[in-house]
Structure formats: C-alpha cells, structure tokens
Amino acid sequence: MAATDRGGAARPRVVANLQSSGNTALIREILKERDAIAGELRMDEDGEPAFDLAILDAPTLARSRDALQRCRAEAEPRILPALLVVEGSAGSSRRAVRELGATVDDVLRIPATREELRARIDNLLRLNTLSRELHADYTRADRALQGANRALRALHAGNQVLVRAIDEQELLDQICRVIIDEERYQLAWAGFVRDGDDPEITIDAAAGDSRGYVEQIRLTRSEIGDGPAWRAVDTGEVMVVKDLLAEPTVQPVRDKLVAYGLASAITLPIRPRSGAPGVLVIYSSVCGDFDDNECDVLKRLAGNIEFGLNALRTGLERDRQKEAVRELAYSDPLTGLPNRNYLVERLDGLLSETGSDRHVAVLFIDLDRFKIINDALGHVAGDTVLGQIAQRLRQVIRPEDLVARQGGDEFIIVMAEPPRSTEWRAVAEEPGGFSAAAQALAARLAARLSEPLIVEGAEHRLGASIGISLYPDHASGANELIDCADTAMYAAKNTDDHVCMYSQTISARRHRRLSMEARLYRALGAEEFRLHYQPVFDLASGVIEGVEALIRWPQRDGTWVSPGEFMPVAEETGLIVPLGEWVLRTAVAQRAAWLAEGNDLMMAVNVSVRHLKQEDAIEGMLTAIGDAVDPTRIELEVTESSLMDAGDRVGATVEALHTRGFRVAVDDFGTGYSSLSRLQEMPINTLKIDKSFVAELGGDGRGAVISRAIQQLADNLGFRALAEGIETDHQRRLLVDQGCRVGQGFLVSGAVPPEELIGMLGHRFESRQGA
Ligand code: C2E
Ligand code: MG
Ligand code: MG
C-alpha cells in the first residue's frame, strides 16, 4: 500500500544508475534536496514498486531492461517512468536512442544544464504521481461500481420477488435470498418491532452463509436498543457501519459478529403504511463496504420492500373488504345461511367439476303454515321461527351438503355424493340408490321440521313440503335443477308425506297450473264464471231454507273446471280478491232477485281467508254487497283450518263483519285444529260438520262419534250445526237423531243454476209423514 500510504506528499524514490561516476554524483546532487535515492529496480514485498523513477544510461539500461519492464508490467496501470541519459558523439547517442528509446519515457543528452536536468526529472515524477492518483481513483471507482452493481442486481432481483410474492413471509424470505444469491453479502435479515414490556425486533426472514447469527441474538430494546438496527427503526435513517467490530453499540454481540465473519453492515428502515416498523440489515464480510452508491441502491430496495408490503397489506385489506361484501351478497342476514345466489354459484361450480357419473340432489323446502304463524304472531316471532328452522336444517344435513335460504319460508339443500366415499358409492351403485338416499334425507328433514317449535312460550307446529330434483337425471344447470325441485315441491303439497321427486308429469301439471293462472285472469275479465246454488234444507221436513253459493267455471267444450282445481291458484295469485268480490256481488244480487219474487232464502257465501287478509277487505266486500241487503240473511263461510290459523287481522275483519250483522259459518268443521278457547271468542253462528264425517255415519268409522261431538260442541257454545254432504236418507235420519237440524247434500240436490233452484223450493221429505 506504498503509493496510498505515502500519498502525494511523500518523497519520490528515484533509482539513479549511471556508469559515469561524475554523472551519478551530479544527479545525486540535484535529487538530494527533495527526492529519496532508491536502490534497485524491483517490486517490494507488498507487490508495489520500490521506486518511482529510473534514471539510467545506455549500458545500465541494457543490463537492467528486463527488470525494468517486469516492474512496469506489474505496476500497471501506474506508470514507472525511466529517463535515459546519453553521452558522447551524436552518432553513438543516436544509436542508443534508436535501440533503447522505446523502453524509456525521456532521453537527456549530456552535457545539459542542472536546470534542464531538474526539469526533466520533475516532469517524469509528475507523470508517475498522476498515474498513481489515477490508479487510486480507478480502484476506488471500481470498488464503488462493484458495490453499486451488486446492489443493483439485488434490487432488480428483489423487484422480481415483489411482483410475484403472494404473502409477506414469502416476500421477506425471497428478498433476503436474492440479496444473498445475487452478490457476496454475508447475511441479510428482515425483522419487525413487536411491542411488549420489552419491545423487540423479531427477525422474520434471513438468508446467507452466516444466517446462524440471527438465531444467536435477541434484539430487545433493553439489550441492544441503541444498536444500528434499533437506530434505523427509531430514526427512519439508513445506518452504515463500515467496521462493526469498532462500533461501540454492537459490543453485546461482538463475539458472534466475529464468529460469523460479519465485518460491516447496512441497516435500512422499513416503514410500511400500516403495521409495525421494521428493518432490513445486510452484512458484508469485508470492512469498509457499503459506499454511497451502494447505499442508494439498497435504500431503493428497502423502499421497494415497503411498497411490496403496502401492496400486500392493501391487497389483504381489499380481500377482507371483498370477503365482507361477498358475505353480504351471499348470505342471508336473518338466518346466517348462505342465500340463493351463493348456492347457485356453488352448485354451478360443483356441477362443472362433476362428471355425469356423479349424482347431486337439490331439495326445495317450503314451510307449511309458516305464513300463519307470521301473520298471527308478527314478524319478530316469524324471524325467530326461521332462525330455528335454519338451525334444524343444519343439524340434519351432513357437513358436505349445502343449505341456503331461498327467500321467505323457502330453503334449498344441495346433497352431493362425495366422489370417493365407499359408503356412497355403494348407495349410488344400486339402481335408484342415490334417489332413495335423497328421499330419505327429505323424510328426515320433514320429520325434523314437523317437531313442535316453541315461539314466545307457546308451542307451534309447522310442516314442510319438499321437492327433489336430481343431477344429471332432471337438469344439468343449477337454476334448472332448482326450478325442477321447486316444481316438485308444489306437487309435494298434495302428497301424503309432503315429499315429491320431480318428474315430467309433475312438470306438465305445473305447466297446467301456470297456464291456469293466465286463463283465470282472462276468465274473470270475460265474466266466464257462474254461481250455482246448493239448497240448505231442514233435515226433518226437507224444506229449503237457504242456499250455498258455489262457484263454477264452465269451459267452451262443455266441461267444468272444479273449484278445488282453480281456487288454490286464485288464492296463490291474489286473484281471489276480485273473484271473491264478484261472488259476493252475484250472490247478493241473486238473493235480492229471489226475494223480489217472494222467496226469502238465507244465502251462504264462501269467503277465502286470503281475501279477508286484505287491508281493505271490509270496504271491498261491503261495496260488493251494497246497502240494500239484510246482512242477517247472508252467511259468510270460512274454512276452519284457515280461520283458526289466520291471525288477528282476519279475526278483526270477521268480527267487524259480524258486528255489521253478517252471519259467520265455520266450513269443513272437524278437519282443522280449532282450539276451544279460540272458537268461544269468535263471533260464530254456524259450524258446518265436514262431509267426511257425514259420509261415515252408519259405518264403523269414527265419523259418527265426531259428528255427535261437533253437534254437542255447537249446542254448548250456542252455535247452529249444519251437516254437509248428506247423500243418503239413512245419514239424514242419524243426523236428526243426534239433534242436527239443518244440512245440505246430494240427497236433496247438488249445486244447481239459479233458474233450476226455484223449481226445488216446494221440496218436502216424504218420510216426514212417517216421522
Ligand atoms: P265447501 O264450501 O265445503 O262446499 C261444499 C262442497 O261439497 C262443494 O264442492 C259441493 O259441490 C260439495 N258437495 C255438496 N253436497 C255434496 C254431497 O252430498 N256429497 C259430496 N261428496 N260433495 C258434496 P265444490 O262446489 O266442488 O266446492 C269445493 C270447495 O270450493 C268448497 O267447499 C269451497 O271451499 C270452495 N268454493 C266453492 N265456491 C267457492 C266460492 O265462491 N268462494 C270460495 N272462496 N270458495 C269456494
Ligand atoms: Mg262452503
Ligand atoms: Mg264444506
């Protein structure tokens, strides 16, 4: 390190080697003021030249030319100048210059003045100094360049990591790895501040030959809180420690630094927008590394890590938000179940990954009687019920099945056959095995859903209708499968167990139903409906006291669509309201017409609960009935099942109509589940004993007992009992015997057009005479 050590201020060393002792003395004399006299043309033990200038004459140069050239080659790019001194005749000096001139940098002909000699020597020494300085600069620049280069390579590789990393750990691991892989850094680690009683920088990622070091140290605030890592965290400034062993703040870990060959380090703060601050520390095994250029590049690397962390954390936050939005979009807040959207998406996914050799069943569940509870007890109770139902559904299905709320009181379950379960393969391999499994699940669901529910302290019973569709048998898409199951569910309402598997017939029936809806609208507009009247007669005498108006829908081809077929559709679609008003209007007008002819018949009109539920039911009905009518001669029939479940509004409407003088009959009595207390509270005039009991009169069924019980109930509560569906005289007699006074049935007549009824008014039982 001679050149660097001596610097520009050191005395140049000159070799002066001339044959002529006079010349040598002269040169020594000139030099002695400033320059050191060197001995030989050689390199010293450091590999540095032992001289800065050689002054030689032709014979000495010829002798030492090899040594000079060796030294010059080794010293490159520094220049070791040589001055050739020539004496004598012009001819001999010219020859010497020709032979040796190429080896030297200058030639001085003697005799020459001392000034001339001094000037030449100074010039050559300047050349040496200049070349030495250039070399020092070059070495410095080269080292800086190399540092910056490796930092740049690390930066570039780091950027590749940034764009690819999918989580923070991966990002930090990879960054540390590329810092090491790209260049000869000894160790790189990244850590973040963890708060606590004694805050600590915990190292999350490390790479490098010396990574064992990080396992040996703990960067607690108390132990090494003023070390470069903590200082970088605290100040946000980059810290460079060119000589770690000389750094007082790292003394606690000095031994370990030595053991792992860590000589210099750079600590770069990492300050992501959210979360704890951290630091990236890179070590070199060489003292004095990390110059300004390298630092700048590494700073950018740290900045990029911040950027990467921010991006990941923002991404994470965005993902969290997306998840929240997804939850909102895909779940039903009331029950916590997924909603239909979610189910459709999952089902479509399932079907697309499922070959047609795999089976999927969709079960569409509609709660029976839920609307009744909801109307009677209010929405809060209704919501509680739905929550309880959702819980039951979850309990019944397997974890791999899906359950979703379709809306209202409808739920959908997807039962997928797991691909590799032996148990299920066995089921599926049997013919119809999967279908049977789906039906078994439906039966379990139906059983569970029909167990009593406790709502607001009272016990309620719901039921469920369940339709099933199968993939791949019935459809191949999610929406189509759900539609099929929905169709089957409608059909299920009319089956005994309320479970139904989809089929083409059902589909056809459903289509009929849908087209029925359209036809009903048209029929109402075109006044296609007719009212027929069934006589209500005194059971003992046969005298016709009144009639029940029954709706009829004649078709162009001469057939009739029975009310049992179209009334439920009218109820479902809401068409029942205008239809019911039309019935009332027509029946009242008919009664008025008969009255005008002198026949004062009691007119019974069936009213649907769905109609009574309308907010403006009373006004609508009163408008339809008109003022000119005696309400005490109009009996409004409401079926027992719907009336008892109908809730307060219907009760209030019936009450209001009764207060206005209208009579009220409970139709099909005995088929519903009337509570006696409820019956007692209601403004009832007539209980109509359902025809199913009358049909059993005289047989071994329980009809007779029930019929008698209804009779007694009516007697006790002060209601009139009216027997429906009397077809035989035997039934009539038995009814008379049990104390029933009025009835209707084919025994006298079915429902007939109004003009036919007039002819019946003279009707009397012959048996009366005998009675
Ligand atoms: P409902 O009110 O119980 O009417 C009695 C039903 O029994 C009528 O059937 C009648 O034709 C039938 N029937 C009468 N006598 C006998 C008999 O001796 N034996 C048998 N087996 N059946 C007999 P229909 O006309 O088919 O009506 C069915 C149901 O449709 C009615 O039952 C009623 O609930 C409803 N309905 C009919 N017309 C109307 C209406 O204008 N408005 C409303 N809301 N419902 C109506
Ligand atoms: Mg009726
Ligand atoms: Mg009836």
Side-chain angles (χ1 to χ4, degrees), residues 220-280:
T220 55
R221 172 72 86 183
S222 62
E223 259 176 85
I224 195 165
D226 55 354
W230 271 107
R231 262 184 294 155
V233 165
D234 291 339
T235 61
E237 301 284 330
V238 174
M239 300 284 151
V240 176
V241 186
K242 297 247 184 197
D243 184 356
L244 277 170
L245 301 187
E247 166 68 32
T249 60
V250 300
Q251 291 314 307
V253 293
R254 190 176 195 283
D255 293 349
K256 285 151 194 157
L257 290 168
V258 173
Y260 284 96
L262 305 174
S264 55
I266 182 169
T267 54
L268 302 135
I270 302 174
R271 298 188 147 182
R273 264 203 303 275
S274 59
V279 65
L280 171 70

Side-chain angles (χ1 to χ4, degrees), residues 488-503:
M489 183 277 291
Y490 271 97
K493 290 195 180 291
N494 298 316
T495 64
D496 290 340
D497 59 355
H498 282 211
V499 172
C500 181
M501 177 68 68
Y502 176 83
S503 73

Side-chain angles (χ1 to χ4, degrees), residues 684-698:
I684 293 165
N685 300 91
T686 303
L687 291 187
K688 295 187 77 169
I689 304 171
D690 189 68
K691 54 181 174 284
S692 59
F693 308 119
V694 174
E696 286 181 15
L697 284 177

Side-chain angles (χ1 to χ4, degrees), residues 548 550 606 637 639 666-669 688-691 724-725 744:
E548 177 180 1
L550 291 163
N606 294 284
E637 293 188 10
T639 59
V666 182
D667 206 349
D668 304 342
F669 194 82
K688 295 187 77 169
I689 304 171
D690 189 68
K691 54 181 174 284
E724 290 184 293
Q744 59 192 86

Side-chain angles (χ1 to χ4, degrees), residues 186-187 208-217 253-263 283-285:
Q186 196 65 20
L187 166 66
D209 290 345
S210 300
R211 67 182 166 279
Y213 169 74
V214 300
E215 284 151 24
Q216 308 274 321
I217 54 162
V253 293
R254 190 176 195 283
D255 293 349
K256 285 151 194 157
L257 290 168
V258 173
Y260 284 96
L262 305 174
Y283 298 81
S284 166
S285 59

